């Protein structure tokens, strides 16, 4: 049985993960961390992480960027592996993640969905074959109207996977309305759509002469990210120091 601490337990994703773990016999939440303690979670909740002295195999984090520095210090001090799901970290914070990973196991990925991480692997392999055959590559991502960053971190990760398969020889174009010229052969176009309540939709398009190959992933609820985080926690339990990715989880 893997024992985890849920960091940000009373936030939306914290509650999603709590619900999923209730039905998983291989893992349990032994404590939660949240500034707000206004509900019965079925496990103890600490408003100050440093007062949490519960033994655990991993921490699952879905909190806020401003809480990450303290979390990393805690995990290093207590030697507890951490699945870091919070997004929007600064360059300085990413350096702190790297430093922490030298002392404790840290898993951080652009997207916790198992499907997206398999997609990252597939499009990298496809690029090596199709780009060499003259196919153009485009990424179209769609998210809800409240998402403030564009393109999404997942879209950028997909672009990076394409580029890695091609020795990073390509450049990215984010807004063609500002580029009044013919498409470059060494170009990866990235387009962002914002509207409604779209959870997350990513298409990777390989457009060739007289044929188009499209890889698609659609998230219908945020539960897909919670399921990935749970799998990551199971994987990370017992691991030594290092910066792990979801690609390690899916093998």
């Amino acid at each position: 049985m893997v024992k985890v601490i849920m960091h940000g337990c009373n936030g939306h994703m914290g509650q999603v993960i709590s619900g999923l773990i209730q039905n998983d016999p291989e893992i349990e939440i032994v404590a939660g961390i949240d500034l707000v303690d206004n509900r019965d979670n079925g496990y103890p909740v600490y408003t100050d992480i440093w007062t949490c002295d519960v033994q655990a195999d991993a921490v699952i984090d879905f909190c806020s960027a401003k809480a990450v520095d303290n979390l990393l210090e805690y995990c290093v001090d207590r030697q507890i592996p951490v699945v870091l799901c919070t997004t929007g970290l600064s360059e300085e914070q990413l350096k702190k993640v790297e430093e922490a990973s030298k002392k404790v196991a840290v898993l951080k990925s652009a997207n916790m969905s198992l499907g997206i991480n398999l997609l990252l692997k597939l499009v990298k392999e496809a690029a090596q074959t199709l780009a060499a055959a003259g196919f153009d590559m485009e990424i179209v991502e769609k998210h809800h109207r409240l998402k403030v960053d564009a393109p999404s971190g997942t879209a950028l990760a997909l672009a990076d996977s394409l580029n890695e398969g091609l020795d990073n020889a390509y450049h990215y174009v984010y807004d063609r309305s500002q580029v009044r010229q013919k498409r470059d052969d060494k170009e990866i176009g990235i387009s962002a759509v914002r509207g409604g309540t779209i959870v997350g939709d990513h298409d990777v398009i390989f457009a060739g002469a007289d044929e188009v190959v499209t890889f698609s992933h659609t998230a219908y609820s945020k539960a897909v990210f919670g399921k990935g985080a749970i799998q990551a926690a199971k994987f990370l339990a017992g691991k030594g120091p290092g910066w792990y990715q979801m690609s390690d989880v899916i093998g």
Side-chain angles (χ1 to χ4, degrees), residues 164-179:
E164 286 169 12
L166 302 166
D167 298 323
N168 294 309
Y170 283 63
H171 65 276
Y172 306 156
V173 173
Y174 303 111
D175 183 1
R176 279 210 178 75
S177 68
Q178 305 300 313
V179 184

Side-chain angles (χ1 to χ4, degrees), residues 3-251:
K3 301 180 183 296
V4 300
I5 296 170
M6 185 66 233
H7 187 245
C9 63
N10 286 332
H12 177 72
M13 282 305 302
Q15 288 297 294
V16 168
I17 291 172
S18 295
L20 291 170
I21 286 179
Q22 284 182 347
N23 299 312
D24 190 328
E26 298 177 353
I27 188 170
E28 69 170 323
I29 298 177
V30 292
I33 310 294
D34 205 295
L35 290 177
V36 178
D37 181 14
N38 59 358
R39 65 183 76 198
D40 181 10
N41 290 303
Y43 50 78
V45 176
Y46 299 83
T47 56
D48 178 359
I49 191 172
W50 291 102
T51 63
C52 178
D53 56 359
V54 178
Q55 295 294 315
D57 299 305
V59 174
I60 297 178
D61 161 67
F62 263 107
C63 197
S64 64
K66 63 183 180 181
V68 165
D69 293 358
N70 203 29
L71 171 64
L72 291 172
E73 291 177 15
Y74 175 85
C75 290
V76 169
D77 181 76
R78 305 295 170 91
Q79 284 296 287
I80 304 176
V82 55
V83 179
L84 195 60
C85 304
T86 295
T87 59
L89 302 187
S90 66
E91 288 299 321
E92 182 179 353
Q93 287 180 305
L94 289 173
K95 290 178 182 178
K96 291 181 179 180
V97 174
E98 184 176 3
E99 286 302 311
S101 71
K102 297 175 183 177
K103 302 172 184 177
V104 70
V106 178
L107 190 149
K108 176 166 174 47
S109 189
N111 189 303
M112 298 307 297
S113 158
L114 294 173
I116 280 290
N117 282 277
L118 178 59
L119 183 62
L120 289 168
K121 180 180 179 181
L122 294 174
V123 298
K124 180 178 180 179
E125 295 176 359
Q128 294 169 337
T129 298
L130 298 177
F135 282 67
D136 297 321
M137 294 176 292
E138 293 283 321
I139 297 170
V140 179
E141 58 96 344
K142 305 170 189 174
H143 284 86
H144 53 86
R145 67 190 307 274
L146 299 178
K147 187 172 179 63
V148 296
D149 56 316
S152 68
T154 301
L156 292 173
L158 287 165
D160 288 342
S161 284
L162 294 173
N163 220 354
E164 286 169 12
L166 302 166
D167 298 323
N168 294 309
Y170 283 63
H171 65 276
Y172 306 156
V173 173
Y174 303 111
D175 183 1
R176 279 210 178 75
S177 68
Q178 305 300 313
V179 184
R180 305 286 293 179
Q181 62 187 32
K182 178 184 174 183
R183 190 185 202 285
D184 191 316
D185 289 341
K186 299 291 186 180
E187 176 180 308
I188 298 174
I190 307 175
S191 302
V193 176
R194 296 289 175 268
T197 58
I198 302 170
V199 174
D201 195 307
H202 294 84
D203 291 329
V204 181
I205 303 164
F206 295 89
D210 303 319
E211 61 178 328
V212 175
V213 178
T214 302
F215 291 81
S216 296
H217 178 274
T218 299
Y220 291 103
S221 81
K222 291 186 177 181
V224 298
F225 310 123
K227 292 174 182 176
I230 292 168
Q231 289 301 114
K234 292 178 183 178
F235 167 84
L236 211 60
K239 292 289 189 299
W243 187 326
Y244 299 88
Q245 304 282 343
M246 284 299 291
S247 56
D248 298 312
V249 178
I250 66 174

